[in-house]
Amino acid sequence: MKETLSFYDVKSKSKFESNEYDIREKSNRYFAVTKSPNGSHECWRVLSKEQGVRLK
């Protein structure tokens, strides 16, 4: 089971938690990406390199 992470939805200005996310790597940085509960857009969270490798 995936670890629960907290995300911040910039468009609705609200925090939420999710354990359904994808780990993406861009320019040697890791991000957790999930769908917003308040719309059809994605919310991204920056991860440390160690956390990104561990969750991937």
Side-chain angles (χ1 to χ4, degrees):
M1 188 167 129
K2 286 187 173 180
E3 180 180 333
T4 301
L5 297 177
S6 62
F7 292 86
Y8 183 75
D9 187 349
V10 177
K11 288 188 178 182
S12 67
K13 299 178 183 170
S14 62
K15 291 177 83 172
F16 65 96
E17 292 186 348
S18 177
N19 61 357
E20 296 180 19
Y21 50 83
D22 296 323
I23 303 299
R24 298 187 192 169
E25 184 178 358
K26 290 180 85 172
S27 304
N28 292 326
R29 296 188 75 186
Y30 289 93
F31 301 90
V33 183
T34 189
K35 294 282 185 187
S36 170
N38 300 320
S40 60
H41 56 279
E42 294 180 330
C43 297
W44 290 57
R45 174 193 167 129
V46 178
L47 301 173
S48 67
K49 185 174 182 179
E50 294 81 20
Q51 192 177 22
V53 171
R54 180 172 48 89
L55 294 174
K56 196 170 188 181

